[in-house]
Amino acid sequence: MSKAVQAALISLFLVTATTLAAQDSTWKRTDSDAPYDHRIQLRDSAGRIIDPGITEWTAGSSGADLKATCAPCHDVEAASAGLHGGAGIDGRRGEPWFLIDPRSGTSLPIHRRSWSGIQLPAELDLDESAWTKIFGRHETGHGSGSDCLVCHLATGYDFSKRIERFDAGDASRAPFIAAGLLDTNGKFDLPRFDSEGHIKLDLLADAGTAACLPCHTVRNLETDNNPNWRQDQWFHDGDVHLAAGLSCVDCHRSGIDHHIVRGYEGEKHPAGTDVSSLTCRGCHMDEKGGHLGAPKPRHAGLPPFHLEEIHCTGCHSGPEPKATEIKQWTSRAHRLGEPSQKRNSETPPRIIWAGIDKDETGKLGPVRQSWPDGWGLLSTNGTVRPLAPALLRRPLRKSLRIRANLREEVLSKLGDQQATEKIHDALTEIGDSIPGDEVAVFISGGRVLRSDGNQGLIEIPSDVSTAVSWPVAHPVRSARTSIGSGGCIDCHSSDSRWLSSPIAAKTMLPLPGGLAVTSPLQSNIIEEGRWRSWWLLFAGRDVGKIYFSLCTCLCISGSLLAIWQSLGRNRP
Amino acid sequence: MKSRLYTVTMLLLLVALLTSIPGLPLGVDLRGIWLQAHLIVATPLAALLVGWIWCSQGQIVSLKALAWLCISVGLASIMVPMLGFTATESTHLWIESHGWLSFVGVGLLGISAARTASKK
């Protein structure tokens, strides 16, 4: 090959490579801040365009596929993963999901992520299809349940229909039915399509707060001081950022990879991006005013180590602390968004706002807490593993005659009696129904109980009954309603009972013996002795301020006078 | 009586100095039990300082008067964040000023005492 040909080939290669490298992406982009008018054609899983007039889509048959529909323009593989899609690093513990089974009284924290104290799907015998049926409703980007519309369709997405379809095991059609494109008989809403099968969808990168709230609502229920929470519900204030006009994704940002920034301090973003400017501190404590010119707090009079030892959320997030625990509902745990007359303050799981706790870095922040309920097996080496509800149905039906709801049905038979005998019978039956040497146990109220072999129950030590807690970040309260707005005595006084108020587990059935009761002070989250000594000192804080101010004035004036006099003495 | 008062004042100054040692590294403020101890010592010390400064008017040499002034201004600098006149972030500076001024004041007191002793 001559040198001229070699040079020509190298040049051709370089030109081609440069041209390809110049393309940022193979995906279509408008690169405009203005929303793109989505008039799209639906596609099947093979990427073929569907004629909505011909395709009749029934459960189980192949039909429109959302991933394939979006794929010509968007990197759906990347978008379906990411932190929001369940991929990426586990990071700081988040809200677990709850496996609820009223028939067995099971309420167990579970998640795909490996967070301590939280069961993994395989540990409770949940395969992919069982998982999707139970939890697919709030899983946006994983497996067959991948749904772009739930977050990006700004109008017309009916979340309750999504829940309904997942309950019916109809995960693949759920996005289309919830978006109103398809009815449950498999017929498309033809008037919405043009003659070429295009449909206009109001799809936005940021579809607003309403797109996030179906899965991320938290609602306060009653406290001992406020049993009329239903009546007072309309009176509560939401998140101050939302009230100010911000959208969730203004802080919880992501690219197409959907590694949505969680926004906690020290967060390691999977993409390696520095996301520190999207934390509370990043916006509010930045010298330049942070994103969108967030107001910089003065925290006048607050000793600076408070900011080092307490997360911003410690004072600014969650419900206003009360002297009693505050029960809460969350979207994912309590199926908020689904119209129901049955949801009440006793609906499991019992989640409470539990004051403050220390995170992995030792910093204090607010947490929610829940205690596991259910049944398990105690192995010979002393470990307890919770049992999947499917394994409990037969023994519980046989021993306790449970049809639909263990708690309600057993309570109705008990009257004022305790449930020791009933639980003992159930434990015996469960033990007999499962082969092996393991012993059946009952998990509730922060305790693990086993049969004593004499119609009684004995408690055994195990971490499986320990409360799981996870950090609270929202709703963010305004500065004037935060802890400390009332002065140091919000925390440093005998009146700040929320630090010492007991946070108690609750058994699903009445049992003898004490419950796991704790408080931030009892848990040694805050050292009780030091806290008490501080509030004793703070009792005289105002007097102290006057006293020290007076002493300062007298000392300075006295010193100046002394200098004046000494200078006078030294003059010739 | 006067010398006893002076001894107690000096002793408390020394204890205040010792209890402030855990807060010495820059950017680390005194906190916890040491801060409590410092405050407990500081409470009678402030009154003793007032008493001492005003009782010994006309007898103090310039160096000692300057030392008392340093300590007094140090006391004033801790009052600024305590009374909420500054933002938390600048509080570090005021606390450090309090520390350094007090150290300088105690140091000057020491020099003054040494000079007095050498004259005798």
Side-chain angles (χ1 to χ4, degrees):
Chain A
M1 196 184 289
S2 72
K3 282 188 175 174
V5 175
Q6 277 182 2
L9 282 174
I10 290 168
S11 304
L12 183 67
F13 170 76
L14 285 174
V15 167
T16 313
T18 312
T19 312
L20 287 174
Q23 293 177 337
D24 270 343
S25 155
T26 54
W27 315 108
K28 289 179 185 171
R29 303 162 61 99
T30 66
D31 289 324
S32 166
D33 283 345
Y36 176 72
D37 190 19
H38 283 81
R39 286 177 189 281
I40 56 172
Q41 291 168 305
L42 302 182
R43 293 170 186 266
D44 66 14
S45 55
R48 292 173 302 225
I49 291 168
I50 281 175
D51 181 346
I54 296 170
T55 307
E56 195 168 289
W57 195 22
T58 52
S61 71
S62 65
D65 183 276
L66 205 49
K67 267 187 168 179
T69 299
C70 304
C73 301
H74 302 286
D75 185 355
V76 290
E77 288 304 324
S80 298
L83 289 177
H84 202 248
I89 51 176
D90 291 342
R92 185 173 81 164
R93 184 188 284 176
E95 180 188 339
W97 298 353
F98 286 87
L99 181 64
I100 306 290
D101 179 55
R103 248 195 288 188
S104 59
T106 299
S107 167
L108 293 171
I110 186 169
H111 208 277
R112 285 189 198 275
R113 299 201 180 275
S114 299
W115 288 323
S116 65
I118 293 167
Q119 306 297 313
L120 289 165
E123 291 172 330
L124 290 168
D125 303 335
L126 289 179
D127 60 15
E128 198 58 39
S129 70
W131 176 270
T132 301
K133 190 172 179 190
I134 301 167
F135 298 110
R137 65 179 189 275
H138 45 244
E139 202 167 36
T140 56
H142 201 94
S144 58
S146 183
D147 183 356
C148 313
L149 302 179
V150 65
C151 299
H152 294 289
L153 187 63
T155 50
Y157 194 97
D158 184 341
F159 196 78
S160 64
K161 276 191 180 162
R162 177 183 168 84
I163 296 176
E164 188 186 290
R165 295 329 302 162
F166 273 90
D167 284 352
D170 195 7
S172 59
R173 297 198 309 173
F176 298 99
I177 293 173
L181 309 184
L182 192 74
D183 66 19
T184 46
N185 296 319
K187 288 191 167 41
F188 284 104
D189 186 6
L190 290 177
R192 293 184 64 186
F193 291 83
D194 68 12
S195 57
E196 291 174 331
H198 289 92
I199 184 164
K200 182 178 171 2
L201 293 173
D202 187 13
L203 290 164
L204 296 170
D206 173 9
T209 307
C212 309
L213 291 179
C215 290
H216 297 283
T217 294
V218 175
R219 192 162 287 288
N220 296 339
L221 304 184
E222 89 276 27
T223 64
D224 284 352
N225 300 326
N226 183 20
N228 302 316
W229 61 277
R230 274 278 187 210
Q231 284 72 31
D232 292 353
Q233 215 176 57
W234 59 272
F235 203 64
H236 87 284
D237 294 320
D239 191 288
V240 70
H241 293 112
L242 299 185
L246 268 77
S247 173
C248 306
V249 297
D250 285 330
C251 299
H252 299 287
R253 301 180 187 198
S254 83
I256 188 68
D257 57 17
H258 284 60
H259 283 312
I260 292 183
V261 172
R262 295 177 67 190
Y264 60 88
E265 281 172 47
E267 180 178 3
K268 298 268 183 296
H269 195 256
T273 315
D274 177 11
V275 292
S276 57
S277 71
L278 294 171
T279 60
C280 308
R281 253 172 240 267
C283 265
H284 287 280
M285 303 297 273
D286 183 86
E287 283 302 320
K288 292 171 190 165
H291 290 285
L292 303 166
K296 192 174 177 189
R298 288 190 79 235
H299 290 129
L302 183 75
F305 62 81
H306 285 72
L307 301 188
E308 293 160 21
E309 295 185 2
I310 308 172
H311 284 290
C312 304
T313 50
C315 300
H316 292 275
S317 288
E320 264 186 79
K322 311 267 186 215
T324 52
E325 59 205 18
I326 298 167
K327 207 183 279 185
Q328 295 188 317
W329 278 339
T330 72
S331 291
R332 286 168 284 177
H334 297 95
R335 298 169 67 99
L336 306 187
E338 178 190 43
S340 170
Q341 291 163 318
K342 294 177 184 167
R343 192 182 303 114
N344 59 44
S345 63
E346 294 300 318
T347 303
R350 181 168 172 267
I351 293 177
I352 55 158
W353 182 87
I356 51 171
D357 199 357
K358 276 185 182 159
D359 68 6
E360 297 87 349
T361 62
K363 255 181 152 176
L364 292 168
V367 290
R368 290 192 187 97
Q369 217 168 49
S370 184
W371 285 264
D373 282 322
W375 308 80
L377 289 176
L378 170 68
S379 68
T380 46
N381 64 10
T383 55
V384 174
R385 64 178 174 99
L387 277 170
L391 297 169
L392 297 163
R393 280 184 196 138
R394 186 172 291 185
L396 289 177
R397 198 176 332 139
K398 204 171 164 188
S399 57
L400 302 178
R401 308 268 175 244
I402 302 300
R403 287 171 183 274
N405 190 311
L406 180 135
R407 186 174 168 272
E408 285 176 12
E409 290 168 37
V410 172
L411 279 177
S412 69
K413 289 174 199 162
L414 280 177
D416 294 335
Q417 291 175 315
Q418 292 191 320
T420 310
E421 205 176 308
K422 300 271 181 201
I423 291 169
H424 185 274
D425 293 348
L427 287 174
T428 310
E429 194 60 44
I430 293 167
D432 291 346
S433 71
I434 293 167
D437 297 336
E438 293 170 305
V439 177
V441 293
F442 178 63
I443 305 160
S444 193
R447 303 160 74 196
V448 179
L449 301 161
R450 59 170 287 188
S451 162
D452 65 356
N454 193 26
Q455 289 295 305
L457 298 171
I458 48 168
E459 191 168 342
I460 56 164
S462 172
D463 288 342
V464 81
S465 60
T466 310
V468 289
S469 61
W470 60 98
V472 176
H474 293 285
V476 177
R477 302 199 304 278
S478 63
R480 291 208 293 178
T481 55
S482 63
I483 301 172
S485 59
C488 308
I489 53 166
D490 276 4
C491 296
H492 297 290
S493 101
S494 56
D495 291 334
S496 45
R497 287 283 173 223
W498 61 279
L499 283 169
S500 56
S501 65
I503 296 161
K506 198 173 175 184
T507 48
M508 65 170 125
L509 295 170
L511 286 166
L515 292 170
V517 180
T518 185
S519 73
L521 289 175
Q522 285 170 327
S523 316
N524 215 22
I525 294 164
I526 294 171
E527 207 181 305
E528 190 170 0
R530 193 175 292 181
W531 178 74
R532 287 196 190 284
S533 61
W534 270 117
W535 68 251
L536 281 172
L537 278 176
F538 272 90
R541 186 178 157 87
D542 289 336
V543 178
K545 281 179 183 176
I546 297 166
Y547 165 76
F548 279 112
S549 300
L550 206 65
C551 289
T552 306
C553 292
L554 289 170
C555 281
I556 291 178
S557 53
S559 307
L560 286 171
L561 187 63
I563 288 178
W564 178 259
Q565 286 175 346
S566 67
L567 289 175
R569 277 202 308 277
N570 292 340
R571 265 187 222 134
Chain B
M1 175 68 189
K2 210 170 179 183
S3 70
R4 204 173 285 173
L5 199 66
Y6 185 73
T7 312
V8 173
T9 309
M10 289 299 123
L11 199 69
L12 285 178
L13 259 180
L14 192 71
V15 177
L17 197 78
L18 290 173
T19 54
S20 71
I21 289 172
L24 265 185
L26 290 179
V28 178
D29 298 323
L30 198 58
R31 61 185 80 178
I33 197 158
W34 292 109
L35 178 57
Q36 285 181 342
H38 194 74
L39 282 170
I40 289 166
V41 173
T43 307
L45 181 60
L48 282 171
L49 282 176
V50 172
W52 184 253
I53 290 170
W54 281 97
C55 288
S56 51
Q57 288 292 331
Q59 305 155 30
I60 306 177
V61 295
S62 322
L63 194 60
K64 196 180 263 186
L66 189 65
W68 290 130
L69 185 65
C70 278
I71 293 170
S72 307
V73 175
L75 187 56
S77 66
I78 201 67
M79 292 310 294
V80 173
M82 199 190 260
L83 294 173
F85 292 145
T86 182
T88 302
E89 281 173 314
S90 13
T91 300
H92 280 303
L93 293 173
W94 290 102
I95 294 173
E96 278 172 18
S97 308
H98 165 72
W100 291 122
L101 282 166
S102 304
F103 273 123
V104 170
V106 174
L108 288 175
L109 274 180
I111 295 168
S112 164
R115 281 174 69 174
T116 312
S118 67
K119 273 181 191 170
K120 284 177 184 172

